[in-house]
Amino acid sequence: MSTDMPPLSTEKGNASQLPRPQRVLACLLCQQRKVKCDRKYPCFNCIKSRAQCVPATQLSRQRKRRFPERELLERLRKYEDLLRQNNIKFEPLHNEATSGKFSSKLERPYDSDEEPPKITRASPSSDANSDRVYDSKNILDVMRQEFRDPDKDSDSSDDDVNAGEFKDAWDQAAPYTDQLLFGSRNTAVDISTLHPEPVHIFRLWQLYLENVDPLLKVTHTPSLQGQVIEAATDLSNIRPTLEALMFGIYCMSILSLEVVDCHAIFGSPKADLLTRYQFGCQQALLNCKFLGCNERDCLTALLFYMMSVRSSTTPQALSSLLGVAIRTAQRMGLDNESALIKCTPLEAELRRRLWWSLVLFDTRISELADSKTSTLTPTWNCRIPLNANDSDFRQEMKEHPQDLESCTEALFVIVRSELGNFIRHARYHLDLTSPALISLVKDVHPSPVIGGSEVDGLESMIESKYLSFCDPENPLHFMTIWTARAFIAKCRLAEQLSKVPSASTPQADVQPDFTVSCALSMLECDTKLLNSPLTNRFIWMFYLYFPFTAYIQISQKLKRRPISSQAEHAWEVMSDNYEARFSFLRQEGIPMMAPFFKIFARFVLQAWEAREASSRHTGELLTAPRIVVSIRHSMAQIAQKTESFATGPPDTGAMVGVDGFPMPTAMDFDNHGLSFCFGEDSNYPAGELGAYSNISMTAPLDFDLDQLDWSAMDWSLGNTPGSGSTGLPLPR
DNA sequence: GTGCTCGGACCTTCAAGAAA
DNA sequence: TTCTTGAAGGTCCGAGCACC
C-alpha cells in the first residue's frame, strides 16, 4: 500500500472510540490502468484523459479457510513415505519412526496426481432432495446401445445416431428460428452502439454487485468481472453470449435503482435506459440464437431480461416466455443431477442456482397468470445450491467446496431454495396443486413435535441451520431473516386454508384467529423489511411481493368481528405496513394504479365501516386508524381526478395527497406503478386464486369475491388481472 | 516523446487459529 | 482475550509497446 493512503490509527484505545476513516480507493480507471491515482475526484489522470472519474467501492473480503498445519504435515509425511518406499534419497523432516502412517495404499487418501474421488453428493443440504435420481433415457442413446458393434470399443461409429448432427441439420434447415420471438430484423442492428460508455459499464457492474447479485447469485462474479472489464475495452468484439449477459446485467442494475438515483448517476431517465438495454438484450439474445443455445450465460441473460420486463408486461405473456426458458433449462439438464455431475463443480453450481432462480420466478409468475402448471413439483432432482462463497469456487477446481454451516454470501439464495424445496414436497401444496404427485411426497423437514405441522419442521430447520448464524446488522442477513419469517408465516396461513376443501364443508380444523395471527406476522415482517435502511439496495425485490393476502385475511376478520382482542393491534399493524409500502411511491414519484387501489381500499374500508356500525349502537366515539384516513383521502382524490378528466384535459402528473401519500390517478397509470405499489399480488382479485384456486375462502373466512365487480375494471392497462395470486406460499 | 498496458513486487487489512 | 499468521484485496513501479 502506498504512503498516500490515509493513516489509520494504530492505538487500540483510539481505534475503539474513533470511527475508522473510510478507506479511499484509487478510482476505477486508475485501478484498471494500474497507475497512481491521487484519490481526488476527479483525479489527475481522469482530468488529463478527460474521462469520468468513478470512485471504486471496496469488495467484501471473502476469506479462505487456512490450510490446516496438521494436514500439511501429514501430507508431507505421506510424501516422505513414498520417497522412502521408492528408495529415493532426500532430507527427511520426519524420521522413520514417526512416518509410515500412510504406508499402505489402501489407507492413504488419493495421491496428488490421481484424479480426486468423484463427489456425487457434495452437500448435506442435498439430502432432502437428491436421493431420487430421475435419469431419463435418450431414445438415440438407447438405439446406439442396441446396435453397437460389440467388436468396437469406441463410442463413435459410422452407424451411430448423433443428436448433435440432428441439431446441426435443423439449424441449416431453419436458420431464422430465433425470430419466433423478438421479431425479425429487417435492418442490421449494431448493438455495440447500445452499450453505455465504459465508465458507465463499470458503474453498472458495481450496482449489479451491490444490488442484484447478492439476491440471485446466478453469476460467478470473480471470474465474470475480468470478462466484463475486458469487454468494456473493445465493445465491438464481445462474445455473443457474454454480450447478452452484459445487457442483462445493465437491465437488472437499472431496475434496481430508484428513479432519482438513476438520473443522478447516468443523466438519463430510468425508463429510457431500461428500454434501451432491454432492446440491446433482445438483439444480443438473437445474436446468440438463444432458442437453440445451450450456454448458461445466454439463459442467464434471458432470465435477467424477463425479470427486468416483468413490470411492463402481463403475467400471462411472461409466463409463456418463462416456459421457453424452463424448457431450454431442461434441455441443458439444469434440472437433473445426473447431467449436472458431468460439469465442473463451478459450472454445475451456477446451473443449479440458475435453475432455482428460474423455477422460483416461474412459479410466482405462473400463479399470477392463473396457470395450473407448476414447476415447483417433486418431479425433478436438482439439489439445493451449496452454501458457499464465490471465492470458494475456481474455474479449474475438480472438487466441490465444502458446504459451510455458516453465513455465506449465497445465504439469501440458499434459504430461498430451501423454502422452495419445502413447498415442492409439502403435502398441502401438492394436495392443492398436483394431487397425482402426492405419492412422491416425503418428509423433507419433519416437525420437531409429534403431530406437528409440516411448517413447524421447516421453521425449526431454517432458524437453527441458517438464521441463528445471522447478524441482523448485515443487510443481506437482515433481508434473509425477515424474508424467511414472512414466508413461513405465509406457509402457515396456506396450510390452514388448505384444510378447507370446499365452501360447503364446515371449518373443522381452521382457526380464524390463528390465520389472522399468521397474516399479521406477514405484515409485521414486511414492515420491518421496508422500514429498515439496511434493505435500500434490495427494494427492487420487494416490488414483487405485496402482502395482499394478509390484508384480505385481516380485513375479512375485522369485518366479521369488528370488536375483538386482535382488532386494535390489527389496525395498527396494517397502518404501519401501509405507510411503509406507500412511502416507496412518494420516493419514486410513481403514480399508483387506481383500479387496484380501489380494490385494496374496498377491503379495508368495509372492515372499518363494520367497526363504525357497531360503535353507533354503543355510542362509542371512534378515531379512524391512519390507514383508513389515508385511503379515504386518496379515494376522494381519485374521484376528483376522474371528474376533472371528464370535463377537461387529463393532467398526467401524479397527485400527492395532503398526508404525503401519492395519490392514485385514474388516467396516468404506469405499468411500473402496479409493481411498486401492489407487486404481483395486486392481481389477486380475479375471482380465482391462481395455483390455489381450489381453496374455498368463502365460508370459513367470510370472504365474498362476488363483492368485487371485475367486469367494471379496466384491465387493459398492462397488468391484466384475469388471474389470481393469493400471495400464498411463494418464496420471496 | 507521449501515452497506454500489464506483470508482478510490495503493502494493508483482517479473520482464522493458536497461545496465554 | 490477545497475539500471530497468512490469504486476499489493493497499489503502482517500470518495462515494453504503439503511435504520432
Side-chain angles (χ1 to χ4, degrees):
Chain A
M1 184 78 51
S2 93
T3 50
D4 300 340
M5 291 297 295
L8 298 178
S9 170
T10 51
E11 289 174 52
K12 282 172 199 166
N14 288 350
S16 60
Q17 286 162 11
L18 297 172
R20 185 179 278 260
Q22 184 82 39
R23 188 178 175 190
V24 183
L25 302 182
C27 76
L28 276 177
L29 196 68
C30 291
Q31 277 188 353
Q32 193 202 344
R33 286 182 176 170
K34 295 188 175 184
V35 290
K36 187 171 166 60
C37 180
D38 61 10
R39 294 186 172 80
K40 290 169 187 164
Y41 298 103
C43 74
F44 171 74
N45 285 315
C46 289
I47 292 170
K48 205 170 149 193
S49 58
R50 292 180 181 175
Q52 190 173 343
C53 192
V54 179
T57 49
Q58 209 160 2
L59 285 176
S60 61
R61 186 170 297 223
Q62 295 304 330
R63 299 186 66 81
K64 207 177 161 185
R65 224 180 126 79
R66 270 198 219 169
F67 199 77
E69 195 175 324
R70 265 186 234 105
E71 194 184 322
L72 197 64
L73 289 169
E74 278 185 4
R75 282 207 179 191
L76 189 59
R77 253 189 215 104
K78 184 187 77 174
Y79 297 133
E80 286 185 353
D81 200 37
L82 281 171
L83 290 168
R84 252 180 230 108
Q85 281 173 20
N86 291 286
N87 296 321
I88 298 167
K89 284 185 180 173
F90 68 100
E91 273 186 46
L93 185 70
H94 304 94
N95 58 34
E96 276 187 75
T98 59
S99 66
K101 187 175 177 185
F102 298 110
S103 54
S104 152
K105 176 145 186 160
L106 287 173
E107 285 176 69
R108 70 186 184 185
Y110 63 88
D111 286 344
S112 60
D113 54 349
E114 284 176 11
E115 194 71 6
K118 279 256 158 73
I119 294 173
T120 51
R121 291 182 60 191
S123 159
S125 64
S126 66
D127 291 355
N129 58 337
S130 65
D131 50 354
R132 285 194 187 93
V133 176
Y134 308 96
D135 195 7
S136 57
K137 288 176 183 168
N138 181 319
I139 189 75
L140 294 180
D141 290 341
V142 176
M143 287 164 71
R144 201 173 2 229
Q145 290 292 329
E146 171 85 13
F147 300 114
R148 173 154 296 146
D149 184 346
D151 297 334
K152 289 185 183 174
D153 49 351
S154 162
D155 273 355
S156 64
S157 157
D158 294 342
D159 300 333
D160 267 359
V161 208
N162 186 325
E165 279 182 59
F166 269 111
K167 185 180 179 300
D168 292 344
W170 279 120
D171 285 348
Q172 286 170 27
Y176 304 111
T177 302
D178 288 287
Q179 296 177 1
L180 281 172
L181 290 173
F182 299 158
S184 62
R185 288 195 287 196
N186 295 327
T187 51
V189 178
D190 178 10
I191 57 171
S192 67
T193 61
L194 296 171
H195 283 279
E197 53 187 293
V199 77
H200 281 168
I201 294 179
F202 298 137
R203 197 77 182 92
L204 287 164
W205 173 251
Q206 285 292 337
L207 288 166
Y208 172 76
L209 290 180
E210 289 166 12
N211 301 356
V212 181
D213 180 61
L215 301 190
L216 298 177
K217 301 302 294 174
V218 288
T219 52
H220 185 242
T221 50
S223 54
L224 183 57
Q225 178 157 298
Q227 295 178 53
V228 171
I229 290 170
E230 198 183 329
T233 60
D234 184 6
L235 293 171
S236 57
N237 195 24
I238 308 176
R239 181 164 50 85
T241 49
L242 176 63
E243 188 157 46
L245 183 59
M246 286 172 71
F247 273 106
I249 287 169
Y250 304 157
C251 292
M252 291 303 291
S253 300
I254 295 292
L255 182 79
S256 73
L257 279 178
E258 290 184 18
V259 171
V260 177
D261 292 342
C262 185
H263 206 281
I265 296 171
F266 299 105
S268 300
K270 180 175 174 177
D272 290 0
L273 288 176
L274 256 186
T275 307
R276 175 194 173 105
Y277 298 142
Q278 282 165 354
F279 177 72
C281 197
Q282 280 187 2
Q283 299 306 310
L285 285 167
L286 284 170
N287 287 349
C288 302
K289 301 185 183 305
F290 74 105
L291 288 177
C293 181
N294 282 344
E295 285 191 46
R296 178 178 42 78
D297 280 354
C298 182
L299 188 56
T300 309
L302 183 59
L303 172 68
F304 286 165
Y305 172 78
M306 290 185 297
M307 286 183 151
S308 77
V309 298
R310 175 183 53 78
S311 57
S312 54
T313 187
T314 64
Q316 288 79 8
L318 195 52
S319 175
S320 300
L321 191 54
L322 263 157
V324 172
I326 292 284
R327 180 62 64 85
T328 305
Q330 287 170 330
R331 191 187 61 229
M332 289 166 64
L334 266 63
D335 61 332
N336 193 337
E337 279 300 321
S338 45
L340 291 167
I341 209 76
K342 292 169 190 160
C343 305
T344 63
L346 172 60
E347 181 62 26
E349 196 58 17
L350 289 171
R351 287 177 176 231
R352 287 187 191 101
R353 290 178 182 180
L354 181 55
W355 172 254
W356 277 100
S357 278
L358 275 169
V359 165
L360 296 176
F361 187 53
D362 175 60
T363 307
R364 183 69 179 166
I365 299 299
S366 289
E367 264 205 353
L368 306 176
D370 196 21
S371 169
K372 299 290 181 293
T373 311
S374 172
T375 321
L376 211 52
T377 64
T379 54
W380 42 269
N381 75 332
C382 172
R383 66 170 169 74
I384 293 168
L386 282 179
N387 188 18
N389 294 306
D390 276 358
S391 54
D392 297 328
F393 289 96
R394 293 187 192 282
Q395 277 173 326
E396 67 281 1
M397 70 196 302
K398 290 182 177 174
E399 281 183 85
H400 290 270
Q402 221 182 347
D403 192 42
L404 303 172
E405 288 184 7
S406 60
C407 292
T408 68
E409 57 195 38
L411 177 73
F412 186 81
V413 170
I414 304 299
V415 171
R416 210 168 161 241
S417 304
E418 286 273 17
L419 298 173
N421 194 45
F422 164 80
I423 280 291
R424 75 188 185 106
H425 289 102
R427 204 175 295 273
Y428 74 84
H429 169 75
L430 290 174
D431 193 29
L432 292 164
T433 56
S434 316
L437 298 177
I438 286 195
S439 60
L440 295 176
V441 163
K442 56 190 172 359
D443 282 340
V444 177
H445 304 300
S447 166
V449 183
I450 296 171
S453 78
E454 287 177 292
V455 184
D456 289 340
L458 172 74
E459 183 176 36
S460 162
M461 185 277 294
I462 293 287
E463 289 285 346
S464 61
K465 191 173 173 185
Y466 299 104
L467 305 192
S468 61
F469 296 107
C470 286
D471 168 14
E473 298 297 313
N474 176 308
L476 188 67
H477 296 189
F478 184 88
M479 180 86 180
T480 309
I481 292 169
W482 293 106
T483 304
R485 287 178 183 162
F487 171 82
I488 289 166
K490 268 185 178 180
C491 285
R492 287 198 195 286
L493 180 57
E495 195 179 37
Q496 283 294 311
L497 296 177
S498 73
K499 292 176 181 171
V500 187
S502 72
S504 56
T505 311
Q507 45 167 330
D509 297 331
V510 181
Q511 307 159 29
D513 283 351
F514 183 63
T515 57
V516 172
S517 295
C518 296
L520 288 172
S521 294
M522 281 171 65
L523 290 193
E524 283 167 331
C525 294
D526 193 59
T527 308
K528 272 200 161 63
L529 285 165
L530 294 164
N531 281 344
S532 172
L534 293 171
T535 55
N536 283 348
R537 291 190 273 151
F538 306 134
I539 279 175
W540 64 274
M541 184 63 117
F542 299 145
Y543 300 156
L544 254 173
Y545 300 90
F546 180 79
F548 205 83
T549 322
Y551 274 106
I552 291 174
Q553 190 69 27
I554 298 164
S555 300
Q556 292 300 310
K557 168 74 190 301
L558 290 172
K559 186 183 163 193
R560 218 170 150 224
R561 293 171 61 194
I563 302 169
S564 69
S565 56
Q566 283 177 312
E568 288 302 313
H569 178 57
W571 283 114
E572 271 303 297
V573 170
M574 284 202 295
S575 295
D576 289 344
N577 187 261
Y578 179 86
E579 284 180 358
R581 274 275 161 191
F582 287 71
S583 66
F584 273 164
L585 293 169
R586 188 175 47 211
Q587 287 160 15
E588 288 286 314
I590 290 171
M592 294 189 292
M593 295 281 284
F596 294 107
F597 184 78
K598 282 179 183 171
I599 298 163
F600 169 76
R602 188 177 305 171
F603 276 102
V604 176
L605 293 183
Q606 279 178 353
W608 183 248
E609 280 156 13
R611 177 77 180 88
E612 285 178 326
S614 69
S615 72
R616 273 195 290 275
H617 293 298
T618 58
E620 182 189 0
L621 272 177
L622 280 180
T623 309
R626 284 166 287 146
I627 182 172
V628 171
V629 173
S630 179
I631 287 177
R632 280 180 171 163
H633 192 89
S634 300
M635 293 300 284
Q637 295 273 359
I638 291 173
Q640 195 182 349
K641 187 85 178 174
T642 311
E643 201 175 311
S644 66
F645 178 72
T647 54
D651 173 9
T652 52
M655 299 167 70
V656 177
V658 289
D659 55 359
F661 290 128
M663 293 300 104
T665 59
M667 307 307 152
D668 56 352
F669 306 131
D670 167 316
N671 287 332
H672 294 285
L674 169 69
S675 301
F676 283 105
C677 177
F678 293 104
E680 266 67 5
D681 272 355
S682 53
N683 287 334
Y684 169 82
E688 286 194 72
L689 300 169
Y692 294 140
S693 55
N694 46 346
I695 291 181
S696 166
M697 296 177 77
T698 312
L701 302 166
D702 193 22
F703 177 68
D704 188 358
L705 289 169
D706 293 336
Q707 290 175 328
L708 299 166
D709 179 9
W710 308 119
S711 59
M713 299 293 176
D714 176 8
W715 299 129
S716 61
L717 295 162
N719 285 278
T720 309
S723 62
S725 163
T726 58
L728 286 178
L730 277 175
R732 300 176 71 107

